[in-house]
Amino acid sequence: MLDRFAYVAMTGAKHTMGQLANTTNNLANAQTPGFREMVASFRSVSLNGERADSRAFVVDSTPGSVFTPGPIQTTGNPFDVAIKNNEGFFAVRRPDGSEAYTRAGKFTLDDLGVFRAGQNSVVGEAGSEITVPTDVSRVEIANDGIIYGFNSASNAFDQIDRLRLVNIDPKNLVRGADGLFEAVGVEEPELDRDIRVQQGALELSNVNPTNAMVQMIEQNRMFDLNIRFIQTADQNAKAANTLMTMSRG
């Protein structure tokens, strides 16, 4: 019994530290546009093996994400775009060519006129990167994601491309190491023409800093509690060994 007690407490302390790391990451990204809160849970698993029947250990499930929308903040920057729907994602192309998805619409225009989201290029309707011609002096993005450029020569707006806006079931999304989401187990998502965007605005993180701070306090207390359990199990084991020694004497 003491063996099981100590083992559960030991693994519980270990994975509480992992959960605390998730919460710390959430708090650090409380102001990151489009960031989705990370969550993790615990479960008890029996240890299989010879003479291990009395043992169980704690593991944390694969960290998931909360996909509730964050607040939208007006910035006035024409390259900032926020998705107004509760669902939907921007498609971006990583440097390795893979497609990923994000709610962060903080875009820039590089020296070649390519729409960028950090180190990634923003994907257009046809699946290629969005490039603004050099003779365009102003960019306008309609609420359906169509990008127009003002041509000074013709004194008119011409359509350049359209943002590739997709709607994916969150159950099929996995967060990559770079914070972008990848679609797993589904074919390449199609453009969703019902998604609406707002130019000159950003969707902020959906992390509630106050809740994150409360979670950090609770997780620190849980870690301390597990450590005390381990110490108690050790003290009980020593007391049991003393009694066994006395009985043999």
Side-chain angles (χ1 to χ4, degrees):
M1 183 65 181
L2 291 175
D3 187 40
R4 179 190 291 268
F5 182 28
Y7 207 77
V8 170
M10 178 188 66
T11 54
K14 174 185 175 182
H15 291 290
T16 298
M17 289 299 294
Q19 196 174 45
L20 182 59
N22 282 343
T23 305
T24 303
N25 184 59
N26 287 338
L27 193 58
N29 286 282
Q31 298 299 320
T32 301
F35 181 81
R36 288 294 174 264
E37 182 181 4
M38 297 176 63
V39 292
S41 59
F42 293 153
R43 59 191 175 94
S44 176
V45 178
S46 298
L47 182 66
N48 297 322
E50 186 178 357
R51 288 185 290 184
D53 296 341
S54 66
R55 294 185 181 182
F57 63 102
V58 176
V59 297
D60 54 351
S61 62
T62 302
S65 302
V66 177
F67 287 95
T68 55
I72 292 179
Q73 180 183 71
T74 301
T75 65
N77 186 335
F79 295 106
D80 288 344
V81 186
I83 295 178
K84 299 171 69 174
N85 302 57
N86 291 344
E87 300 174 341
F89 296 86
F90 299 106
V92 297
R93 187 84 59 196
R94 291 188 174 115
D96 64 4
S98 62
E99 186 170 290
Y101 308 97
T102 180
R103 293 279 293 198
K106 191 173 182 60
F107 303 141
T108 58
L109 205 62
D110 68 13
D111 295 338
L112 300 177
V114 177
F115 259 66
R116 294 280 179 186
Q119 298 297 317
N120 311 296
S121 57
V122 183
V123 179
E125 183 174 15
S128 57
E129 63 184 18
I130 298 173
T131 303
V132 177
T134 57
D135 57 357
V136 167
S137 60
R138 191 164 84 247
V139 172
E140 296 288 340
I141 302 175
N143 63 1
D144 57 1
I146 296 179
I147 302 172
Y148 297 94
F150 183 76
N151 189 317
S152 301
S154 62
N155 197 33
F157 280 96
D158 299 322
Q159 181 174 338
I160 297 173
D161 206 329
R162 184 176 192 157
L163 293 169
R164 179 165 153 72
L165 300 164
V166 298
N167 195 351
I168 309 171
D169 188 336
K171 296 178 181 178
N172 296 320
L173 289 173
V174 175
R175 192 192 303 262
D178 55 3
L180 300 175
F181 290 99
E182 303 165 2
V184 178
V186 295
E187 296 182 0
E188 186 173 332
E190 296 181 357
L191 178 75
D192 189 336
R193 299 179 183 276
D194 293 329
I195 297 176
R196 293 292 176 263
V197 300
Q198 179 180 341
Q199 185 181 20
L202 284 175
E203 180 186 2
L204 303 181
S205 168
N206 67 350
V207 175
N208 185 314
T210 302
N211 290 344
M213 289 295 296
V214 172
Q215 290 171 6
M216 288 182 67
I217 294 171
E218 292 175 346
Q219 289 157 6
N220 273 302
R221 288 176 176 171
M222 182 62 68
F223 177 78
D224 291 339
L225 182 61
N226 278 300
I227 294 299
R228 287 200 295 270
F229 282 160
I230 295 172
Q231 294 170 344
T232 300
D234 182 57
Q235 293 169 1
N236 290 345
K238 288 179 180 178
N241 287 337
T242 300
L243 290 173
M244 292 295 292
T245 302
M246 293 174 61
S247 65
R248 284 197 295 267

